[in-house]
Amino acid sequence: MKKFIALFAFCAALAASLYARDVTVSIGAGEGWKGPQLAVWLEDEQGRYIKTLYVTQKAGGLSWFLGPKEGRPESLPVWYHASKHDSKKSAAQNSSPDKKEIDAVTSATPKGGLVINQKIDDASCVIKVEVNASFDYNSTWTKKNSGVNGQPSLVYQALLPAGQKEEVALELLGSGSVNGSNGDVYKNVGGIDSAKTIVRIINVTFN
């Protein structure tokens, strides 16, 4: 029985490797890039979460300096809710189903742009990138109505069709919840200015 299970696991892994593709996600830093929080993840075409490709350390590990144990879900609210990341527990207590996976793709906040190399299934999916800079205030998003967040996170996305070989550029989808209370994406981004300059361009290429 054990041999059969091992053989089945090997065959499954082999099949997955045969129908996988290497992708490179390039995120170009804009004028407003000052060590932002950032998450990159995949969803299917129905909006169901698949997996996280990258997340910054503070957001992924809930390790905010002088921050609450529940972390700051308002930093990347769309990713938090999509991945069902348990923002009510500390990193040590977090029992999110994909906690080990998230740990594996977590790193320090990038200082200037980012290049991510990952292997994904060769099936149609949607890639999303959420980015946010703390204390990014303006005349619309002030200390009084947005806490430490300032302007809300911005979400970019693109469809990655099966068999895609040409470069794909992500486009702005909308903004996240300013207080982290939900994972909705708000299409109206009026009043948001400097947050739009955090990233200059986001492209996906296939190797």
Side-chain angles (χ1 to χ4, degrees):
M1 184 64 180
K2 289 183 178 180
K3 289 184 179 180
F4 175 78
I5 294 175
L7 179 61
F8 178 80
F10 172 78
C11 291
L14 180 61
S17 66
L18 290 174
Y19 295 98
R21 50 184 167 168
D22 294 315
V23 298
T24 297
V25 184
S26 302
I27 302 175
E31 295 178 0
W33 185 285
K34 298 176 181 178
Q37 296 308 306
L38 191 147
V40 183
W41 73 100
L42 300 178
E43 296 180 357
D44 65 18
E45 293 189 70
Q46 286 70 50
R48 294 183 291 253
Y49 173 83
I50 298 175
K51 71 173 183 176
T52 297
L53 301 182
Y54 173 88
V55 64
T56 41
Q57 198 167 48
K58 287 183 179 179
L62 308 180
S63 54
W64 294 91
F65 180 66
L66 297 180
K69 284 187 176 181
E70 63 270 20
R72 283 190 50 220
E74 73 275 13
S75 63
L76 299 173
V78 181
W79 172 78
Y80 268 105
H81 287 269
S83 66
K84 294 183 172 55
H85 200 75
D86 192 346
S87 59
K88 295 181 180 179
K89 298 181 179 180
S90 68
Q93 297 172 320
N94 185 8
S95 58
S96 175
D98 61 343
K99 179 64 168 64
K100 291 183 179 179
E101 174 192 284
I102 290 172
D103 284 344
V105 296
T106 299
S107 72
T109 303
K111 294 183 179 180
L114 183 66
V115 176
I116 305 164
N117 295 301
Q118 282 279 7
K119 187 180 292 290
I120 67 173
D121 292 340
D122 190 13
S124 184
C125 63
V126 174
I127 185 169
K128 291 186 176 179
V129 173
E130 185 172 22
V131 62
N132 189 17
S134 301
F135 311 110
D136 192 8
Y137 302 114
N138 63 13
S139 59
T140 301
W141 302 99
T142 67
K143 291 183 179 180
K144 292 184 178 180
N145 65 21
S146 61
V148 300
N149 213 35
Q151 295 171 66
S153 66
L154 290 179
V155 180
Y156 300 80
Q157 78 165 23
L159 175 66
L160 304 181
Q164 177 75 20
K165 295 182 179 179
E166 297 180 356
E167 184 176 274
V168 175
L170 276 69
E171 296 183 352
L172 179 62
L173 179 64
S175 65
S177 165
V178 73
N179 62 9
S181 60
N182 62 64
D184 296 342
V185 177
Y186 301 90
K187 299 296 180 69
N188 183 358
V189 292
I192 298 177
D193 45 38
S194 56
K196 293 179 181 177
T197 70
I198 296 174
V199 297
R200 177 176 51 82
I201 191 171
I202 308 175
N203 285 337
V204 178
T205 55
F206 302 87
N207 304 319

